[in-house]
Structure formats: C-alpha cells, structure tokens
C-alpha cells in the first residue's frame, strides 16, 4: 500500500517538475518579451501596449505553477529550529502536522482562486490592455497551478500518513524533513561549476 | 528575538494607549495571537502556512466581514503586480550570472584584495554583495547569488558559521538600498517621487551602511584572529581587477538604461537578464542545460517567496481591513511630540512591523498613511524614501520573519538550525539601525548628493 | 432626521490617494463627518483610500459585491474591465465640456445600474476628476504634432484615440510615469490637469494641452443587499448625502480642471486647490481644428472601437441614451 502511495507521489512529483520547468522558462520568455518591447519602442517605434498586464500574469502563473515542485524538493521554508532537535519518533508526527496545515492553506488558496475565476466568468471580465485579454484565461492558468499544489500536498500527506501508521517514521522524515547535507552541497557545487573554494 | 521583545514592548504602548481611550484595539487577543504565533513557529510549520493561519485567526476573531469571499482577489492582485515581476527577473539574472561564472569571478577578484584584513573573507562577502547590488535590485536575489558563491568557500574553515551567514544576510540586505532597487520603485510609485533621484540619494547612505558592516567585521576579526592567507604580488592583484569588467558593463547596462531614458526601473531588470545571457554567451557558457537550470532555480525561489507572500498578503488584508496599520500610524502621528520624536516613533513602528511583516506589504499599506504625515512634519520625501528602504531591508533581516534569511537558510551546505542565521545577523541589524539613526540626525547624508547634482 | 436606533457602521473605500481634493474636500467632510452629524452619531463611516487598503482600483466592484466594504468608488475606465458598458460613459473625445459630461453621466446611471444590479451592486452617484489632458516633455502646437510620439495612456479608448493620431501608445504603470517622463522613456502622458499638478509632473514635462480628452468619470457603488436592508430614513439620508456630494464633485471637477492648468503654468491667481509648479509649463491652447479632429476621431475610431469591445447592445444603448446629448450617432 505504501509502495502504491510512493508510486503515486513520484508520478505527481514528475508532473510538478514539468510545471515548474514551464514556470521557469516563462520567466526567460518574460525577460525577452520586455527586452523586445524596450528595443521596439526605442529603435522601431512599436510597443505591445500590454506589457504591464502580460508580465503581471506571467509572474502570477510562474509562482503558482512552481509551488508543487518546490514542495516536492522540500524547498519551502519552514522554521524548524525546534523540530530538528527532536528524535525522529517525535519529529515525524510534527512533520505531518505542518504538512496538514500547509495542505489546508493550499486548499483554501486554490478554492479562492477558482472562486475568482468563477467571478471573472460571471462578469465576463477583460483587462484594460490593448489586447483585452479575458481574465478567466490567466486566472484559470493560475488556479490550475494552485490545484497542482494541493494535489502534491495530498499525495505527500497520504504517503506520510501511511508511513506513520506502518511505523516507519524515518521514511516520513526523509519525505518531509529538511534537505540533507548531500543534496544541498551537490546542488551548490554544481551551480558554481564544481570547484569547492580555496580554504581561505 | 530582540525584535519580538521590542514588538511586545510596542504592543504594551498600544495597550496603554487603548486603556487611556485613544484607540479601541483588542489588546488581550492580540497578545494571545502573538503567543500562538511564537509556539507554532517553534514547531516547524511552513512560513506561508503560519502567516495564513494567523490571518485566519485574526480574521475570525476581529473581522465581522466575510473576508474569505475576497481572498482570491487579495492573492491575485499582488501576485500579478507588474512591479514585482522585477523580483524573478533579478533572480534569473543572478542564476545566469552564477552559472556563467561572473559571480565567482567577482568574488575572487575582490577576495584577492580583502582576505588579509582582520575578518578576512567575511569582508569579501559584504563587498561582493555590495558590488552585485549595483546590478541587482532585489535583496533576495543578491543574497541568493552571492550566498551560493560564498558558502562553499567557508566549508571546513574556522570561520564562525554565524558570522558567515550574518554577513551574507547583511550583504544581501544591501541589494535594495544600493541602486537599482525594487523598494525604491514601489516607493516612487506610491508617492510619485522620482526613482532616479531616490537612487542618487541612496548612494551615500549605502556607502555608510557598507562601511559600518566592514568596521563590524574588522572588530570581530581583531577579537577572533584567524591565520592569514599568503600575500600576493601587486601585479596579480591588479590583474584580478580585470575580472570586474563584466560586472561593470552590466551595471552600466542596467543603471545606464534607466538614466538614458530607454527603460523604466522595472524594465531594467529584464535588460539585466538579457545582458547576463549575452555575457554567458560571450563566455561560451550559454546553453540550454544551463538556461534550464537557471530557469528551474528561479521558478523554485520565486515560488518559495510566493507562498510566503500569499500568507503575508492574506494577513495584510485582514490587518488593514480592521485598520491596524492605519490606527497605529495615526496614533503615532497624534502624539504630542516634536517632529524628530514622531519620526523616531515611525521608525520604531516600521521596525516592529518589519519583524513579522513582509517588506512589500509593509510599505504598500503604511506609506499611503505615513507619507502625508511625514511631509506635513517637514521631512523631505526623497530622504524618507531612503529611510523606508532601509527599514524594509532591516525587515528582511530581522527575525523571525525575513525573506533574505530564509533564502540563505535554504542554501546552507551544512544543515543547521535557522537560529544560526538569526543570531549571526544581529550585530549587522544593529549597525543598520545605527545608520538609520545617523540619517535621522544628519539628513544631508541622503540629500546632499541629489542637490549637488541638480 | 434619522430616528434613534442601533449604531450603523459603514466602511467606504473611495479615492486612490488620501491627498486628493475629492477625498479631503468631499469624502471626509460630507461622507464621513456629514453622515455622522446628520444621523446624530448613529452612522459611523470608516473611510479609506485605495492605497491604504492595498487595492489597485479595478477590483472595487468585486470588493463591494463581496461585502468587504459597503461603499466603494473608482473610475469607470478602470472598472470597465468587469462591466464594459461603463467605458461608454467616458469615451475619449465624447464630451468636450464638463456640462455635457455630467448630462451623459446622469442619463447613463440608471442604464448602467441595470447591468450592475445583476452583480449585487448599484451606482449611487457619478462624478468627474479634472479633465484628462496631455503633458509633454517637448513643445507641440496641435494634435497633428503628436504623430510618432510615445504617449503613456491607460484604457482602450485612449489607446484608440492616440493611435488614430499616429502616436505610439505605451503601457507603463502610473507610478512609473514620473520617471518615464523625466528620462524620456515616454514623450507625453495623459492624466487629470490637477492630478498632474499633484504628482509634480511640471518638474518633468514642459507643455500642457487644455483640450479635455475625457473626464476620468468615476462612480460610487454600494452593496445592493446592504442598501436595500437600510431603514428608509437612513437610506434617504444616504441618498441625500450622495446627491450633495455629486453636486459638489462636479463643481470641484470644473474648478479643479482650470485650477490644475493654472497651477501647472504658474498662474498664481488661478491656483487655489493644487500646488503651484516651481517650474511653470507652457499652456497649449486647443484650436478649432483640434476640436474638429477630436470629434472626427471619436466618431470614426473611438466609438466603433467601444462597440466592437462591448458588443452590439452597447451600440444600441449609446444611440438611445448618449447620442441625443452628444450629437454623434454610432453607425452614422
Ligand atoms: Na541594488
Ligand atoms: Na523581518
């Protein structure tokens, strides 16, 4: 049963990673879009007349689509000075409590987002840019990202709960605990080109 | 935690005022909420969820309105605000520069000059952050970029982890103060003050803060001497300076585009990204894999901040809808005190709010109320913009809630409690506050340069 | 003449900034203090500006609809994203003078309310800001000179208007306009004559047009369910207050329009509401040719654009309600 839950979690994590990649490339596109707008305005005399709105949507959707992946790689910030000093047996249920709270918060956000989409649909709302983008489009994309975040919380909760019930608190700690020394070092070293600095 | 004590003291003042009938704030409940806040924070809950939980508690206790009906708009508004787009753009620029090796070159070039001072490589942390701040307008991006370069340097060294993290957090908190900076853009946006003039006014104060940080490290280095690196010949040191060229070019691109009138301060962040990609291409380091890794890291760090911002804005909505920031600001303005004392109270208010509020939401909700008071008291809007920015930077490094500290904690090579960051940043926090007080006593530190240049 | 009874707490979120004359000269004395005094202290209005509540302005109808505030106010162009018919009341080039602008607003209020009441809100009064005029950082003498210039605009009808003139509309957030003008990111920007004075645009621009392109007409909206639940006497008092506020605000709009220009061009005698510019601007008086061109563009570009965005029904409403006042029919 735990294995099935783990499989499910891995599947959702893969989906979350895909969403986060899209979110990241969306920022690259955003930078190029604004640069093009600056160049177009100064050199060619053309401007999108919707830069403000479109880049705002790119930010909102970028945040929403990367939330689930950030949770999967345990990068969301927790204040864990107390919890990390406790033995695993006590730590595990606390992890579960904090994930439960996060899941509740995520569900509320996602609900609020879909309500907003609903309201925009009721109003048939458009933005005031030259493109007159229907607000349900960016807000819907945003709400999808937030829903993926809820899904990620849910599968993690399922697996953690099973692990706790089956008496495997260490497994739960690996799922939710702070990222290990190896993860972090590897990542930092990879980013700076794999040269540990001189011992100055 | 000092900040929290001050917060409690300030709440004591509010309680006193409430008891004497000046404002009808439910003090007992507020104190209870702070108790809940501290306990929940200790047990390892996600920061965004804690802020959201706090918003729920306050909302259900004090608000008689169906605030949840407006939550979607409350969260959508700020997260689709084009001014905040500069944050991921500056982060992306930092990630690309990191992978293109520019940050590393910057750090190494400066290290050659600074590592033999008492305090050693800690000086490099501050100065490299300061130089990087001149390209990047985000404190979080500055701390994240220079932190990823610097932290590996300190593995297996005798340097105190607390001082390493503290100096990087402090250096990161220069990111907004040294132009360009997102806080100035937002402040200029709300008060219709020239962002260009704000940037110029911030130059001397940022030198002052940087100088105080270096003095602090110098003092620490004298008290805890470490073995010095071997001396290098001057020719080597001079050659190291050429490594600063790309950084200088990027500074010219980002700040130059603003002053030449090609781009708005928000748009300049996008030019920074394109410039960083051009630099990486020149270094033959630009490829899909590298760009993909930068994009992924940007998405992750923006989402990490986004979750906190969701909680912060929800909390902020509830607080403003029950008039807490406004009531407090008015209470302070109506105190029978001379202008400088009221200004001191305003600074104390920002300090207290900053311990648990996120910087953006703090200025967005208080500046519309506080700004007219400040102008009426006879203070210069440009000067106040610099002070507010410094208070936002202080908010980012004042425990328990500070984004710069969280980002650094998130990238530590060796896991450790977040209290290392909290304690390490304390001396720098006090130095930052000292700089604000100096600016209060000598406003010319901010005002002389804009006047001399116009 | 409100009978004694329980306290009535009202939250009103009105102007964008607490320093605007609409806020200090009307909202504070009439809405906040006036309602309290005339209800013998029963009505307690908590007044806030958009900025204090961290709102952008486009979400005001939703704010009131969701019961977060009983009363809200916002400019129609900004609100038209949610309710497109509102844009038709304040189209660029529609009303060359403020008297006509008021007659159009008054005629359209009941029509707009038919749309708004579906969403649970209703307009109590409409009011203008000072005339929306052009501020430029380089000299110009007529509308024709604007060809090729980068102009910061907001809202669809202004984009249509300046595009038709051969200018290049640029999308920049209002907060960044000051520095955009200062650095030449844009050549011109449009805002209320008085709002430009308040935002110290004379520091960063040199020429100001006196041709009103539109009036930034705004509206006070109330939550309909709350409004209907009010005691008849209280509702009558609220209605009276808004009628009085509306009169005061239209007068203020007329005064502030000329006052704003006078302040911007350094005419000390005419400058009473806003701040006198330290660096006076040059006033560019509109010619008859400019007025004719404005009308032509309105008829041929702005109005068809509005109907295209809003739908055929909006064209019919325009022809029924506004055309008799403006003298320009949609579809000839
Ligand atoms: Na900076
Ligand atoms: Na803080």
């Amino acid at each position: 049963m735990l294995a099935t839950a783990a499989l499910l979690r891995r599947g959702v994590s893969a989906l979350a990673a895909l969403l986060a990649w899209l979110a990241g490339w969306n920022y690259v596109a955003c930078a190029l879009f604004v640069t093009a707008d600056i160049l177009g305005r100064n050199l060619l005399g053309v401007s999108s007349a919707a830069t403000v709105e479109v880049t705002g949507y790119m930010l909102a959707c970028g945040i929403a689509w990367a939330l689930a992946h950030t949770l999967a790689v345990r990068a969301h910030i927790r204040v864990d000075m107390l919890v990390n000093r406790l033995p695993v047996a006590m730590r595990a249920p606390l992890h579960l409590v904090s994930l439960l709270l996060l899941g509740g918060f995520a569900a509320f956000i996602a609900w609020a987002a879909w309500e907003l989409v609903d309201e925009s649909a009721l109003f048939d709302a458009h933005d005031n840019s030259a493109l007159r983008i229907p607000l349900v489009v960016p807000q819907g994309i945003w709400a999808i990202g937030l829903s993926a975040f809820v899904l990620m919380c849910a599968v993690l909760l399922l697996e953690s709960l099973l692990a706790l019930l089956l008496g495997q608190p260490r497994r739960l700690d690996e799922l939710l605990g702070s990222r290990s020394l190896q993860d972090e070092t590897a990542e930092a070293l990879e980013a700076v080109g794999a040269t540990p600095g001189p011992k100055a | 935690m000092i900040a929290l004590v001050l917060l409690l003291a300030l709440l004591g003042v509010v309680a006193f005022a409430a008891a004497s009938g000046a404002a009808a704030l439910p003090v007992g409940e507020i104190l209870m909420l702070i108790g809940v806040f501290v306990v929940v924070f200790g047990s390892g809950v996600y920061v965004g969820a804690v802020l959201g939980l706090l918003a729920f508690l306050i909302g259900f206790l004090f608000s008689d309105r169906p605030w949840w009906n407006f939550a979607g708009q409350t969260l959508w508004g700020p997260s689709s605000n084009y001014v905040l787009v500069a944050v991921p753009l500056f982060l992306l620029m930092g990630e690309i520069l990191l992978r293109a090796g520019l940050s590393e070159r910057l750090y190494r070039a400066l290290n050659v000059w600074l590592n033999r001072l008492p305090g050693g490589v800690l000086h490099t942390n501050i100065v490299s952050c300061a130089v990087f701040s001149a390209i990047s307008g985000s404190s979080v991006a500055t701390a994240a970029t220079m932190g990823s370069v610097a932290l590996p340097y300190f593995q297996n060294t005798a340097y105190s982890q607390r001082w390493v993290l503290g100096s990087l957090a402090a250096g990161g908190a220069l990111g907004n103060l040294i132009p360009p900076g997102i806080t100035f853009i937002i402040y200029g946006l709300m008060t219709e003050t020239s962002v260009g003039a704000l940037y110029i006014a911030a130059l001397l104060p940022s030198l002052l803060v940087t100088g105080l940080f270096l003095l602090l490290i110098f003092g620490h280095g004298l008290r805890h001497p470490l073995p010095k690196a071997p001396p290098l010949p001057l020719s080597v040191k001079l050659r190291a300076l050429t490594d600063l060229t790309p950084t200088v070019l990027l500074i010219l691109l980002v700040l130059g585009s603003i002053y030449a009138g090609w781009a708005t301060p928000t748009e300049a962040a996008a030019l920074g990204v394109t410039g960083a990609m051009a630099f990486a291409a020149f270094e033959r380091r630009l490829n899909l894999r590298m760009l993909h890794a930068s994009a992924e890291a940007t998405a992750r760090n923006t989402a990490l901040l986004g979750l906190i911002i969701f909680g912060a804005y929800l909390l902020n909505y509830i607080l403003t809808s029950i008039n807490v920031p406004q009531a407090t600001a008015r209470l302070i303005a109506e105190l029978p005190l001379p202008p400088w004392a009221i200004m001191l109270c305003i600074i104390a208010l920002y300090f207290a709010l900053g311990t648990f509020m996120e910087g953006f939401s703090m200025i967005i909700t208080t500046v519309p109320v506080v700004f007219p008071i400040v102008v009426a008291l006879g203070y210069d809007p440009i000067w106040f913009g610099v002070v507010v920015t410094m208070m936002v930077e202080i908010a980012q490094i004042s425990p328990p809630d500070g984004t710069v500290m969280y980002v650094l904690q998130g990238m530590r090579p060796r896991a450790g409690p977040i209290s290392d960051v909290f304690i390490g940043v304390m001396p720098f926090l006090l130095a930052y506050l000292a700089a604000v007080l100096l600016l209060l006593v000598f406003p010319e530190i901010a005002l002389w340069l804009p006047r001399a240049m116009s | 003449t409100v009978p004694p009874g329980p306290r009535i707490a009202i939250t009103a979120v009105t102007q964008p900034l607490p320093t605007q004359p609409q806020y200090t000269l009307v909202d504070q004395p009439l809405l906040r203090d006036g309602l309290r005094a005339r209800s013998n202290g029963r009505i307690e209005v908590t007044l806030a500006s958009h900025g204090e509540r961290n709102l952008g302005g486009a979400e005001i109808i939703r704010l009131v609809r969701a019961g977060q505030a009983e009363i809200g106010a916002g400019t129609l162009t900004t609100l038209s994203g949610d309710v497109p018919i509102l844009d038709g009341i304040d189209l660029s080039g529609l009303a060359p003078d403020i008297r006509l602008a008021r007659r159009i607003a008054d005629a359209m209020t009941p029509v707009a309310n038919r749309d708004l009441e579906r969403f649970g809100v209703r307009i109590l009064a409409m009011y203008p800001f000072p005339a929306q005029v052009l501020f430029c950082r380089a000299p110009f003498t007529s509308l024709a000179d604007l060809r090729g210039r980068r102009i910061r605009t907001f809202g669809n009808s202004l984009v249509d208007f300046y595009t038709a003139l051969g200018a290049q509309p640029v999308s920049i957030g209002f907060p960044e306009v000051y520095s955009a003008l200062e650095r030449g990111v844009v050549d011109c920007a449009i805002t209320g004559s008085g709002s430009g004075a308040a935002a110290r645009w004379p520091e960063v621009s040199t020429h100001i047009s006196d041709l009103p392109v539109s009036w930034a007409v705004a509206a006070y909206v109330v939550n309909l369910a709350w409004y209907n639940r009010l005691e008849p006497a209280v509702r009558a008092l609220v209605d009276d207050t808004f009628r009085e506020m509306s009169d005061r605000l239209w007068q203020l709009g007329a005064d502030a329009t000329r006052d704003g220009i006078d302040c911007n061009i350094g005419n000390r005698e005419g400058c009473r509401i806003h701040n006198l510019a330290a660096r006076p601007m040059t006033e560019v008086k509109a010619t008859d040719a400019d007025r004719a061109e404005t009308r032509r563009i309105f008829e041929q570009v702005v109005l068809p654009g509005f109907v295209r965005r809003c739908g055929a029904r909006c064209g019919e409403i325009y022809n029924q309600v506004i055309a008799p006042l403006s003298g320009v029919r949609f579809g000839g």
Side-chain angles (χ1 to χ4, degrees), chain C residues 170-233:
Chain C
V170 175
S171 160
I172 288 178
F174 183 79
E176 288 196 305
V177 178
Y178 181 99
S179 21
L181 278 172
E182 182 179 32
R183 304 285 161 205
V185 176
V186 293
D187 304 303
C188 304
I190 184 158
T191 195
S193 64
S195 320
R200 299 196 312 287
W201 283 12
E203 291 172 10
V204 293
S205 54
T206 58
H207 287 67
I208 178 172
S209 156
D210 77 338
L211 179 76
V213 180
S214 64
W215 297 92
V217 177
Y220 288 100
V221 293
V222 285
N223 182 303
L224 192 60
W226 170 82
Y227 179 78
N228 286 337
R229 272 202 315 270
L230 285 177
E231 299 163 33

Side-chain angles (χ1 to χ4, degrees), chain B residues 133-134 136-137 174-176 178-181:
Chain B
S133 298
S136 168
L174 294 169
N176 257 308
I178 296 175

Side-chain angles (χ1 to χ4, degrees), chain B residues 150-239:
Chain B
L151 283 170
Y153 268 76
F154 291 95
Q155 271 189 294
N156 311 316
T157 61
Y159 283 97
S160 148
Q161 274 298 303
R162 288 177 178 173
W163 275 82
V164 171
L165 292 164
S167 61
L168 284 170
L174 294 169
N176 257 308
L177 183 61
I178 296 175
I182 296 163
T183 312
F184 287 123
I185 301 176
I186 297 179
Y187 178 87
L189 164 166
M190 302 183 57
T191 63
E192 280 142 14
T193 318
S194 160
V195 177
L198 285 168
Y199 281 177
I200 292 167
L203 283 178
L204 289 181
S206 54
L207 282 179
L208 172 71
V209 176
T210 313
L212 286 177
F213 287 172
L214 293 180
L215 270 180
L216 210 58
I217 291 173
F218 201 84
H220 168 77
L222 287 179
R223 272 184 295 119
H224 305 274
L226 289 174
K228 280 187 188 177
L232 290 171
L234 188 65
S235 61
V236 174
K237 289 171 112 176
L238 285 178
R239 214 172 312 132

Side-chain angles (χ1 to χ4, degrees), chain C:
Chain C
T1 56
V2 174
R7 198 173 142 269
I8 301 166
I10 299 178
T11 294
V13 182
T14 54
Q15 318 304 339
L17 294 169
T19 44
Q20 282 167 319
Q22 287 75 14
Y23 194 77
T24 57
L25 300 180
V26 180
D27 290 345
Q28 287 181 346
L30 289 179
L31 183 59
R32 188 187 62 192
D33 305 341
L35 271 181
R36 183 176 354 144
R38 291 205 263 166
S39 67
N40 300 317
R42 266 192 71 193
I43 302 181
E44 188 64 50
V45 178
T46 307
L47 199 58
S49 58
H50 296 173
E52 286 166 74
R53 295 290 296 265
N54 196 4
L55 298 168
E59 65 283 70
I60 291 297
I61 290 181
R62 298 180 188 221
L63 182 87
V64 173
R65 175 175 187 264
Q68 310 299 302
E70 281 74 29
I71 299 170
T75 50
L76 300 183
T77 320
T78 323
L79 301 178
S80 69
D82 281 347
V83 187
I85 187 78
L86 295 178
D87 204 22
I89 301 168
D90 189 35
L91 292 171
S92 304
L94 168 62
D97 69 76
I98 195 166
R99 281 185 307 277
L100 178 58
R102 177 165 196 181
R103 280 162 57 212
I104 293 172
D106 288 347
M108 280 296 288
T109 302
V111 181
N113 273 339
R114 281 208 293 277
D115 274 21
L116 284 170
E117 282 169 10
R118 283 197 304 134
F119 304 130
V121 300
R122 125 178 250 172
I123 291 176
L124 281 193
M126 292 201 196
Y127 63 96
F129 280 88
Q132 302 292 300
V133 297
L134 200 64
F135 291 68
C136 285
R137 61 199 303 279
F140 65 98
T141 52
S142 72
L143 286 181
D145 291 350
L146 298 176
R147 174 171 297 279
R149 290 202 196 178
R150 287 171 295 195
I151 301 182
R152 187 270 171 177
T153 53
F154 54 90
N156 293 299
S157 84
L158 282 172
V159 170
D160 284 352
F161 184 82
Y162 286 109
T163 307
L165 277 173
Q168 182 196 345
V170 175
S171 160
I172 288 178
F174 183 79
E176 288 196 305
V177 178
Y178 181 99
S179 21
L181 278 172
E182 182 179 32
R183 304 285 161 205
V185 176
V186 293
D187 304 303
C188 304
I190 184 158
T191 195
S193 64
S195 320
R200 299 196 312 287
W201 283 12
E203 291 172 10
V204 293
S205 54
T206 58
H207 287 67
I208 178 172
S209 156
D210 77 338
L211 179 76
V213 180
S214 64
W215 297 92
V217 177
Y220 288 100
V221 293
V222 285
N223 182 303
L224 192 60
W226 170 82
Y227 179 78
N228 286 337
R229 272 202 315 270
L230 285 177
E231 299 163 33
V234 174
R235 200 184 316 148
L237 175 61
V238 170
D239 287 346
D240 279 350
T241 302
F242 273 97
R243 216 164 317 167
E244 192 183 337
M245 283 166 64
S246 176
D247 287 341
R248 189 89 68 95
L249 282 161
W250 282 100
Q251 188 58 47
L252 178 63
D255 297 345
T257 294
R258 191 57 234 176
D259 184 273
I261 294 178
D262 281 333
C263 291
N264 286 324
I265 62 173
N267 176 8
R268 196 175 294 276
E269 290 84 71
C271 176
R272 294 170 196 286
I273 303 173
H274 304 95
N275 296 326
L276 194 69
R279 223 182 65 186
M281 301 178 71
T282 308
E283 181 177 355
V284 180
K285 296 242 188 230
T287 61
D288 287 340
D290 286 342
R291 282 184 234 281
E293 175 72 350
T294 303
R295 194 178 169 90
R296 184 192 69 78
I297 294 176
F298 170 71
E299 188 168 2
Q300 295 179 0
V301 182
V302 175
L303 184 54
F306 161 68
V307 177
R308 200 175 50 244
R309 289 188 301 272
C310 188
R313 190 179 74 97
C314 297
E316 287 161 25
I317 291 175
Y318 173 88
N319 276 346
Q320 273 168 24
V321 183
I322 302 180
L325 302 170
S326 68
V328 176
R329 275 187 68 80
F330 170 63

Side-chain angles (χ1 to χ4, degrees), chain A residues 21 24-25 27 34-35 41-42 52 55-56 59-60 66 69-70 75-79 82 85 116 139 181 184-185 192 200, chain B residues 41-42 44-45 47 73 76 79-80 82 85 121 148 262 267 274 292 295-296 299 302-304 307 406 410 413-414 417:
Chain A
W21 294 341
W25 280 96
Y27 295 128
V34 176
T35 305
R41 189 172 66 216
N42 288 292
V52 170
T55 55
L59 172 65
H69 173 66
T70 309
H76 280 302
I77 302 291
R78 300 168 60 184
V79 179
L82 194 69
R85 291 178 188 193
L116 183 72
Q139 287 172 349
L181 177 59
E184 295 281 352
T185 320
V192 296
Chain B
F41 248 100
V45 179
V47 175
Q73 189 67 50
W76 170 255
S79 58
S80 63
Y82 79 99
V85 172
V121 192
S148 8
W262 296 335
E267 293 171 335
T274 314
H292 182 74
E296 191 269 344
T302 310
L304 169 164
L307 184 65
Y406 295 151
R414 192 181 306 241

Side-chain angles (χ1 to χ4, degrees), chain B residues 84-364:
Chain B
L84 296 183
V85 172
V87 177
L89 292 183
F90 279 128
L91 281 170
L92 178 60
M93 180 184 73
E95 294 289 344
I96 294 174
L97 291 178
L98 185 70
R99 288 176 175 78
L102 177 133
S103 321
E104 175 85 22
R105 274 164 69 178
L106 169 65
Y107 195 82
R108 250 201 298 242
L110 292 170
N111 204 22
V112 167
W113 288 84
L114 297 169
N115 68 359
R116 286 178 51 79
L117 291 172
V121 192
L122 293 176
H123 288 291
T124 315
N125 286 354
I126 297 290
V127 177
S128 61
C129 280
V131 174
F132 191 78
S133 298
I135 320 172
S136 168
S138 149
S139 297
V140 171
T142 305
T145 311
M146 292 325 295
S148 8
V149 176
L151 283 170
Y153 268 76
F154 291 95
Q155 271 189 294
N156 311 316
T157 61
Y159 283 97
S160 148
Q161 274 298 303
R162 288 177 178 173
W163 275 82
V164 171
L165 292 164
S167 61
L168 284 170
L174 294 169
N176 257 308
L177 183 61
I178 296 175
I182 296 163
T183 312
F184 287 123
I185 301 176
I186 297 179
Y187 178 87
L189 164 166
M190 302 183 57
T191 63
E192 280 142 14
T193 318
S194 160
V195 177
L198 285 168
Y199 281 177
I200 292 167
L203 283 178
L204 289 181
S206 54
L207 282 179
L208 172 71
V209 176
T210 313
L212 286 177
F213 287 172
L214 293 180
L215 270 180
L216 210 58
I217 291 173
F218 201 84
H220 168 77
L222 287 179
R223 272 184 295 119
H224 305 274
L226 289 174
K228 280 187 188 177
L232 290 171
L234 188 65
S235 61
V236 174
K237 289 171 112 176
L238 285 178
R239 214 172 312 132
L241 282 184
T242 58
D243 275 341
L244 292 178
T245 325
T247 311
V248 173
L249 286 177
L250 270 173
I251 294 173
L252 282 178
L253 176 69
V254 173
L255 286 177
S257 66
I258 299 171
Y259 283 95
W262 296 335
T264 67
T266 308
E267 293 171 335
L271 278 185
V273 176
T274 314
M277 286 199 267
F279 167 77
F282 183 77
E283 291 283 295
R284 295 175 190 288
R285 299 246 197 136
L286 185 71
N287 55 52
L288 272 183
R289 245 190 81 200
M290 174 265 213
L291 216 51
H292 182 74
S294 304
E296 191 269 344
T298 306
R300 187 161 26 85
N301 284 322
T302 310
L304 169 164
L305 294 173
L307 184 65
I308 296 172
I309 284 179
F310 282 165
Y313 274 92
L314 203 61
L315 177 59
N316 172 60
Y317 180 77
I318 307 281
L319 287 177
T320 47
S321 71
I322 60 170
N323 266 327
V324 169
Q326 299 94 321
T328 321
R330 282 201 192 107
L331 192 73
I332 286 172
E334 283 160 13
L335 294 174
L337 294 172
W340 63 266
I342 294 185
M343 182 52 78
L344 214 56
C345 288
I346 291 176
I347 289 172
L349 167 75
Y350 273 115
F351 184 64
L353 287 178
T355 57
F356 64 90
M357 251 175 129
E358 188 264 333
F360 295 126
S361 56
M362 180 172 91
I363 61 167
I364 286 174

